[in-house]
Amino acid sequence: MSATASEGAVFREDAGEPDLQVRLLGPVTLSVCGAVVPAGPRLQRSLLAVLAINAGLALSRSVLVDFLWGEQPPSTVSHSLHTLVWSLRRLLGSDRLERVGDGYRLSLGVGECDVLRVRQLAEYVQRRDTPAEEALAGAEAALSFWTGSPLSDVEGVAADLVRAELENLRTQLVAARVGLLIELSRAMEALSSLRSEAASDPLNERFSELLITALHQLGRRPEALAEFDRVRRALREELGLDPGPGLRAAHEKVLRGGDPERPPDRVDTRVAKPVPKPAQLPATSRDFIGRHGETAQLVGWLTQDQDAAKAEDEEAAKGRAGPRVVVLHGPGGIGKTSLGLRAAHLVAAGYPDGQLYASLRGFDPAHPALVAADVLPGFLWALGVLDEDMPAAAADQSAMFRTVLAERRMLLFLDDAPSGQVVQDLLPGTAGCAVLVTSRQRMGGLVAREGARRLDVRPMADAECVELMSHLLGAELVAGQPDQVGQLIELCSRWPLALRIAAEQVLEHDDGALGLDEVCGQLSRAGDRLLDRLGTAEEDPAMMMGEVLSWSYQRLSAADPRAAALYRLLGAGPTVHFDQHSAARLLDCPPDQAHQLLRALAARHMLEPDGVQHRMHDLVRQHARAQADLQDSPAVLGAAVDRVLAWYAAASSAGRVALGTPLKVGMAAPGEAAEQLGLGDADAATAWFSRSLDDLMACVQVAADRGHPAAWQIPLGLIGYLELANLGETRAHEISHRTGAAAAAKAGEHLAEAALLNNLSVLYERLDDPQEGVKVARRADAAAARAGAPFRVVTMLNLADCLVDVGQHDEALAVLDESLALATELGDDAWLSVSYVMLFRAHWATGQVELADRELEQAVEVAERGGAFEAASFAAESAAKTLMDVDPARGGEHVRRALDRFGDALLPYDHACLLSWLAQSEQATGDRASALQHARAAVAAFESLESFETKQFRSARALLTAKQDAR
C-alpha cells in the first residue's frame, strides 16, 4: 500500500463503531454497544464532557471544580465531585476513569469520542502533503460529526469557551472544504455553502474571498464584484476597516480577468510592486508527534475566527486594537518550541504577508538574552527596508516596524522570550498581525496589557508518548515490549525531550550491547541520577536534560539567591507538593517570605500551581536535588528535612483533633498548624488530608529512614481520616501503619506501635482477611503488653474480635476475661460495653444463647449509661449481624435503638453500616417499604464516603437492585 493510500485511511470508518462512544458535537450523548445510554444529570454530563475532550490527560480537582461550578462551588464540593465520579465509573467502567493525584483521567481511543476524531481529521486535512481529494474527504467526514451546537446541554463560562473553540474548528473545516472544492474545479458544489456562510457571518473575509473566487471560477464576474463591494462597505461601516490582503487579491484577480481555475490560496497577494514576503519559520520536526489538543487550541486562537476578529476590529474602530498575542509557557525541555512551530505552520496560510521568527535566547547560558534592538534590524531588512533607510535609534526602528506592518497580516514567532517587556517592544501596532511567544515565564503582563491568551504546556499524554516512541524506536519494538516502553515513559516523566534522549540511548545499543530492557534497567537504578543518564558530556548541550534545566537555575541563582536556596531544599525535601508553611520550615524563614519565593519559582516554571499548593515535576525535582547535593552540606539538608517532617507531624495532629479524634501519648503537639492551615473543622481537615496524603506518605518513609518520630506520629494523625475514608485509601492505610509501627518498635515507642498495629488489624477485618487480622492483632497486643499501659484493653478486645471471626472461641473467651477485668478496673464504660459485646458474640457462637443474651443487654445498658455511642453502635451492629438469620426483628430493634439514641453522634461510617443492617432486618421481616427507604439512605451515605467495597454497601445496593429487577 502506498503512503498516500495509507494516510487517506484516516477518514474511513471500515472497522465499524467501537463499543463505547462519547458524542459532544451536539448534546452530550453516550452510547454503549450501539445503544444510547442516559449520560446522567447536568453536572454528570458536564464532567463527562470535560474529561472526554481532554481524554488521556489528568485533570486536577481545581480544574474540574472550575468547569463544573465556576467561581461559586458548593460547600459540599468534595462530596459532590466524588459522587459524580462514582456515577460515571458505573457507566464507563472503573478501568477507564482513574484517580491521578487529586484529579482524574479518562482513557478513550480516538474513535470513541467525536471531538478526538474530528481533531485527528482536521490535522490530516491541514497537512500540506495531503492530496486534495483525500483532504476534501477528510473535511467532509469531520463535518459529518456535528449534530448541533457543541455541548448544547452543558452550561457555564468554561463550557462556553470550549464551545467557542469547537465552533471555530468547524468554521475552519468548512473553509477548508469549500477551498478544496474550488481547488478541484468544483466551484458549483461550494457555492451554496459559501452563500450560507457569508450570509450568517457577513464580516468573515475568508468566506467572502472564497465566494468571490468561486464565482469567478464559474464565470460570474458581476456577482463576484458585487460581493466584494458588499463586504467592503460592511467592513467600513461596521468596523472602520478596509479589506485585508487576501480579499483584495481575489478582487484584483477578478478585475484582471486572471485564470479562474486557480485556487485562492495560490494567488499572489501582492500584484503591484513586489514586496518581500518573509517566510522565516524554521521547519517543524519531521517526527513531531502528539499534542493534538494543544495544537487545535493554538490553531483556533491564531486563526481569524469571527468572534475574535470582530472583537479586535471593534477595538480597532476605537483606535486601541493590537495584535492577537498567544503565549506558550512551560519549563525547559517540555516541547514549547516544537508545538509552537507546528501550530504556526498550520496557520501560516492565514497570514498572507509572511512570517517573522526570532529566538530571543532568554534562557541560553552560553549567550546573553536578546532585546528588541538586537532583533528589529533583521526584521526590517526582511520586510524590504534598505540600509540607507534604516533608523539608527532603537525607538525609531520600533516605530518603523509598526508602520511597515500597519497594512499587513503577518505572523511573528518570538521564541524563548526572557520577559514580557522584550515582547512588548516587538509587538505590531494593529490588529492584522498575530504574535506567538514561547517562554519559561508566565508573561502575566502581556495577559493584562495585551489580552494575551496563554497555554500551559505540560507533559505529554500516555498515548502520545507511545506514539512518539513507536516513531523513534519502531512500531515493532514498541509493540513487542509494551511494559518496558511504559516503564521508560514513566522514568522520563512524559517529557518529550527526555523521551527523545532516552530513545537515542536505546538506538545506540540496538546491536545487543544495551537494548531497551537494559536502558530501562539503568534509568530505573539511576534514581536521582536519572538526569545524568539522560545526557553525556559528548552530546550537544541543548540535548542534555541536566543542562536544559540548569539554564533556569543559573539565572535564578544570580537574580535571587534565597529563591535558589529554596529550590534546592524543595528538591532535597520529602514531598512533591509545597505551600508557604512547609516551604518556610525547609528554609527556616517566615511563611510570608516563603510565599514570595514560591511565587518567584513558579514564575520561572520551576514549580507548577496545583490548587492551593505548588508541585515540583519529577525531573525538575531531581535536578533540584542534584544542585542541593552539590552546594549544601549534609547537615544543612538534614536539618531542613527534619524541620519539615516535624511540621507535617504537627499538622497531622491538628487534623486529627479537627476530626474529633483525641491525641494519643507520643503524638506531635499541633502548635500553630491548626491556625496556619485553617483546620478549624472536620471538612477543612478532611480536605487537607485528602490533598496532602501523598506527601504525608512520603514523609512517613523518609522519617522511618532517618529515625524521626514523624514516622509514627503522622500515621497516628491519619487514623481519623483513614477511618472516614474507610476502604477508599487502603494502600495508604496499610503502608503508613506498617512503616510507622516498625519505626516505633525500633525506637522503643511501644504504645505507638500497639496503636498502629491495632488499627491495621481492623483494616484487615474490613478487607475480609481475618487470618491476617489475627496475626497483626497478636502483635498489637504484645506491643501493648510491653508498653504496660491501659491501652491494652483495646488490643485485647480487638484480638478477641479477630479470634471469634476465625472460630478460635476458647482463646477468645480467655482474652475477654482479661479485658473485662481490666475495663472494670479502669472504670471505662465504653470498653466495658465492648467487652460484654464480645462475650455475647463468643458465647452465641458456642451455643450458650441465654448467657449471650444477658451479655448483650449488659453491653447496651453500660453503653447508654456512660453515653458511649461508639460502643452502642458496635453492640447494635453485632446484634444485627449475629441475629439476622434467627431473629432479624430483634436485631433490627437493637439497631433502631442505637440510631434513635446516638444517631447524630455516630461516626459517618458507623451510621451508614447501621442503616444497612436496619434495611436488611426490615427486608427479612417483610417491611419492604422501610427496607427500601433505609437502603437508599445507606447507599447515599456510603457513596459520600466513597466506601464502595464494604460488605454493608454491597448488601444495601443489592437490596435496591433486587427491587428494581422485580419491577
Side-chain angles (χ1 to χ4, degrees):
M1 179 181 292
S2 68
T4 300
S6 175
E7 290 164 353
V10 73
F11 57 82
R12 291 196 288 268
E13 297 287 353
D14 300 331
E17 292 188 350
D19 291 341
L20 176 69
Q21 285 193 312
V22 181
R23 300 188 183 277
L24 307 174
L25 297 173
V28 177
T29 306
L30 179 65
S31 299
V32 179
C33 297
V36 176
V37 176
R42 178 180 63 84
L43 286 175
Q44 186 170 313
R45 295 195 304 272
S46 299
L47 179 61
L48 173 61
V50 69
L51 288 169
I53 287 174
N54 296 278
L57 299 176
L59 299 185
S60 68
R61 176 183 180 276
S62 61
V63 169
L64 295 175
V65 169
D66 182 64
F67 189 90
L68 296 175
W69 290 283
E71 296 182 355
Q72 295 182 322
S75 59
T76 59
V77 64
S78 294
H79 164 60
S80 299
L81 181 59
H82 289 160
T83 302
L84 291 171
V85 168
W86 180 80
S87 298
L88 263 190
R89 280 176 170 159
R90 294 176 65 190
L91 287 175
L92 304 175
S94 58
D95 57 327
R96 285 186 178 270
L97 183 51
E98 60 177 320
R99 180 83 175 260
V100 181
D102 71 340
Y104 298 91
R105 174 171 57 210
L106 178 62
S107 297
L108 289 176
V110 171
E112 293 177 320
C113 177
D114 54 1
V115 171
L116 304 182
R117 184 75 169 127
V118 165
R119 284 173 176 168
Q120 182 192 52
L121 289 165
E123 183 176 352
Y124 179 71
V125 169
Q126 291 163 344
R127 283 173 47 179
R128 292 182 179 273
D129 59 348
T130 302
E133 289 283 2
E134 293 192 7
L136 176 60
E140 291 177 340
L143 289 168
S144 70
F145 283 95
W146 263 267
T147 61
S149 176
L151 312 183
S152 59
D153 51 354
V154 176
E155 303 173 359
V157 174
D160 290 341
L161 294 174
V162 174
R163 200 163 15 250
E165 291 172 7
L166 293 173
E167 291 288 13
N168 176 57
L169 178 58
R170 178 190 172 278
T171 301
Q172 294 176 49
L173 287 165
V174 171
R177 174 183 175 271
V178 296
L180 287 161
L181 285 170
I182 295 171
E183 181 178 343
L184 293 167
S185 300
R186 295 162 59 182
M188 183 59 73
E189 297 177 51
L191 205 56
S192 60
S193 292
L194 282 169
R195 289 194 185 282
S196 174
E197 295 293 339
S200 63
D201 198 357
L203 299 179
N204 189 312
E205 293 188 48
R206 178 59 175 162
F207 283 122
S208 292
E209 175 192 343
L210 290 166
L211 178 56
I212 290 169
T213 304
L215 291 167
H216 180 41
Q217 189 180 92
L218 294 169
R220 296 157 69 166
R221 187 170 181 268
E223 292 179 61
L225 294 175
E227 172 62 19
F228 179 78
D229 288 339
R230 181 201 66 77
V231 72
R232 178 175 58 184
R233 287 194 305 271
L235 288 169
R236 285 180 175 175
E237 291 172 3
E238 298 193 33
L239 304 177
L241 293 177
D242 290 325
L247 193 55
R248 294 198 307 270
H251 176 239
E252 289 163 357
K253 185 173 181 179
V254 176
L255 292 175
R256 294 197 322 270
D259 179 8
E261 298 295 321
R262 210 170 169 196
D265 54 350
R266 296 179 185 174
V267 301
D268 297 325
T269 57
R270 301 285 177 174
V271 296
K273 177 183 177 182
V275 175
K277 180 181 174 180
Q280 296 185 346
L281 289 177
T284 54
S285 171
R286 290 178 60 87
D287 55 6
F288 182 88
I289 300 294
R291 301 291 194 190
H292 307 296
E294 296 96 325
T295 301
Q297 189 168 39
L298 288 174
V299 168
W301 286 346
L302 292 168
T303 302
Q304 298 275 354
D305 62 282
Q306 178 59 27
D307 289 340
K310 187 173 182 179
E312 289 178 357
D313 290 341
E314 288 172 351
E315 290 298 307
K318 301 173 186 176
R320 295 188 285 107
R324 183 180 294 115
V325 181
V326 175
V327 177
L328 282 173
H329 66 94
I334 201 68
K336 300 183 296 295
T337 299
S338 295
L339 173 59
L341 286 173
R342 173 67 168 169
H345 278 284
L346 289 173
V347 303
Y351 296 91
D353 294 316
Q355 317 98 40
L356 296 171
Y357 172 88
S359 174
L360 301 177
R361 303 192 308 215
F363 297 88
D364 185 343
H367 306 90
L370 300 184
V371 296
D374 300 315
V375 175
L376 283 170
F379 280 176
L380 290 171
W381 286 325
L383 293 168
V385 177
L386 302 177
D387 286 345
E388 56 266 29
D389 298 327
M390 186 76 67
D396 294 334
Q397 292 173 0
S398 182
M400 177 174 280
F401 182 62
R402 291 192 294 273
T403 300
V404 172
L405 292 184
E407 296 296 323
R408 302 193 191 192
R409 291 190 173 179
M410 298 193 71
L411 176 64
L412 278 70
F413 192 124
L414 302 177
D415 197 14
D416 199 18
S419 68
Q421 185 58 56
V422 173
V423 174
Q424 188 83 31
D425 294 341
L426 291 168
L427 293 181
T430 54
C433 298
V435 183
L436 181 59
V437 182
T438 71
S439 181
R440 298 185 197 181
Q441 303 280 14
R442 294 187 180 276
M443 299 289 173
L446 287 179
V447 175
R449 292 190 300 269
E450 305 297 332
R453 288 185 170 182
R454 193 165 54 188
L455 179 65
D456 186 1
V457 184
R458 297 183 177 273
M460 295 172 67
D462 283 343
E464 294 177 336
C465 291
V466 172
E467 186 181 2
L468 175 61
M469 298 308 286
S470 295
H471 181 84
L472 296 173
L473 300 177
E476 183 176 351
L477 175 61
V478 171
Q481 300 193 61
D483 293 340
Q484 294 88 335
V485 171
Q487 183 185 11
L488 190 62
I489 290 170
E490 288 288 337
L491 288 166
C492 293
S493 298
R494 299 171 181 81
W495 279 30
L497 179 56
L499 287 168
R500 291 178 184 275
I501 296 171
E504 284 297 321
Q505 291 193 3
V506 173
L507 292 175
E508 286 176 4
H509 301 284
D510 63 354
D511 58 354
L514 187 62
L516 181 58
D517 286 341
E518 294 179 52
V519 170
C520 287
Q522 287 199 4
L523 293 181
S524 180
R525 291 190 296 272
D528 289 345
R529 300 189 305 279
L530 175 58
L531 296 175
D532 295 332
R533 291 293 310 156
L534 290 176
T536 65
E538 290 77 25
E539 291 175 310
D540 181 347
M543 286 295 292
M544 294 174 62
M545 203 62 196
E547 287 295 326
V548 170
L549 293 172
S550 291
W551 294 342
S552 291
Y553 176 72
Q554 290 172 11
R555 291 185 178 275
L556 174 68
S557 297
D560 192 341
R562 289 287 282 173
L566 178 58
Y567 172 73
R568 298 193 303 272
L569 292 176
L570 292 175
T575 67
V576 295
H577 296 92
F578 317 96
D579 60 16
Q580 65 188 56
H581 304 295
S582 59
R585 268 63 184 185
L586 278 171
L587 195 57
D588 200 14
C589 70
D592 290 346
Q593 182 182 352
H595 175 68
Q596 296 302 320
L597 295 175
L598 288 172
R599 291 186 61 184
L601 293 174
R604 290 168 170 82
H605 279 285
M606 291 171 152
L607 293 178
E608 302 171 12
D610 189 3
V612 298
Q613 306 176 105
H614 291 84
R615 73 179 301 274
M616 184 173 271
H617 193 279
D618 292 346
L619 290 179
V620 179
R621 186 167 181 243
Q622 291 170 15
H623 176 265
R625 177 56 195 255
Q627 297 301 316
D629 289 340
L630 287 172
Q631 299 186 44
D632 298 302
S633 69
V636 168
L637 297 179
V641 170
D642 287 345
R643 287 193 299 270
V644 82
L645 292 176
W647 160 253
Y648 274 105
S652 299
S653 293
R656 177 180 170 122
V657 171
L659 290 174
T661 309
L663 297 180
K664 291 185 178 294
V665 175
M667 292 189 64
E672 301 175 327
E675 180 179 354
Q676 291 184 348
L677 293 172
L679 303 182
D681 55 38
D683 287 343
T686 300
W688 181 80
F689 276 123
S690 179
R691 67 173 177 264
S692 304
L693 185 59
D694 289 343
D695 295 312
L696 291 168
M697 293 294 293
C699 286
V700 169
Q701 187 58 61
V702 171
D705 294 341
R706 296 181 60 80
H708 193 285
W712 57 87
Q713 292 173 340
I714 290 174
L716 288 172
L718 277 166
I719 285 178
Y721 168 73
L722 293 173
E723 288 179 346
L724 284 174
N726 191 39
L727 300 183
E729 301 290 357
T730 300
R731 186 170 182 275
H733 198 156
E734 183 176 14
I735 293 176
S736 66
H737 280 46
R738 282 194 177 277
T739 304
K746 187 175 181 180
E749 295 287 340
H750 298 300
L751 182 57
E753 176 193 6
L756 292 172
L757 289 173
N758 194 72
N759 191 264
L760 184 59
S761 71
V762 175
L763 172 66
Y764 288 124
E765 181 184 1
R766 290 181 177 177
L767 290 172
D768 288 335
D769 190 354
Q771 295 296 339
E772 188 64 25
V774 168
K775 291 179 185 178
V776 177
R778 291 189 193 280
R779 292 175 54 201
D781 191 48
R786 288 192 293 271
F791 183 71
R792 194 180 177 204
V793 69
V794 179
T795 60
M796 285 191 292
L797 286 169
N798 186 55
L799 174 58
D801 188 25
C802 294
L803 290 168
V804 169
D805 283 343
V806 297
Q808 298 181 28
H809 302 112
D810 290 341
E811 185 180 355
L813 288 169
V815 172
L816 287 170
D817 286 340
E818 290 187 67
S819 71
L820 188 64
L822 182 54
T824 302
E825 179 184 340
L826 294 172
D828 190 315
D829 285 336
W831 297 124
L832 189 58
S833 173
V834 174
S835 297
Y836 280 123
V837 172
M838 294 306 306
L839 285 168
F840 154 73
R841 291 186 57 201
H843 284 130
W844 184 278
T846 57
Q848 301 178 67
V849 177
E850 293 183 1
L851 177 58
D853 284 345
R854 290 197 300 271
E855 287 164 340
L856 178 59
E857 291 301 327
Q858 285 180 291
V860 173
E861 179 185 337
V862 171
E864 293 184 347
R865 180 187 68 200
F869 56 87
E870 290 184 72
S873 172
F874 180 62
E877 187 171 354
S878 297
K881 180 178 180 181
T882 305
L883 299 172
M884 182 57 66
D885 293 333
V886 294
D887 193 352
R890 185 171 165 226
E893 281 302 316
H894 279 287
V895 173
R896 192 175 289 106
R897 179 176 171 181
L899 285 169
D900 291 343
R901 178 77 168 82
F902 297 107
D904 293 339
L906 294 173
L907 291 174
Y909 175 77
D910 292 341
H911 191 269
C913 285
L914 289 181
L915 287 172
S916 178
W917 280 116
L918 182 57
Q920 293 171 69
S921 67
E922 290 167 336
Q923 177 74 3
T925 56
D927 187 356
R928 292 181 177 81
S930 296
L932 286 174
Q933 175 187 351
H934 290 121
R936 291 191 189 99
V939 167
F942 281 121
E943 286 177 352
S944 71
L945 298 171
E946 287 196 301
S947 299
F948 305 128
E949 300 304 324
T950 65
K951 288 187 292 185
Q952 293 315 307
F953 170 73
R954 294 196 296 269
S955 297
R957 186 176 61 180
L959 193 155
L960 290 178
T961 304
K963 180 63 176 178
Q964 291 168 354
D965 291 343
R967 292 176 183 171

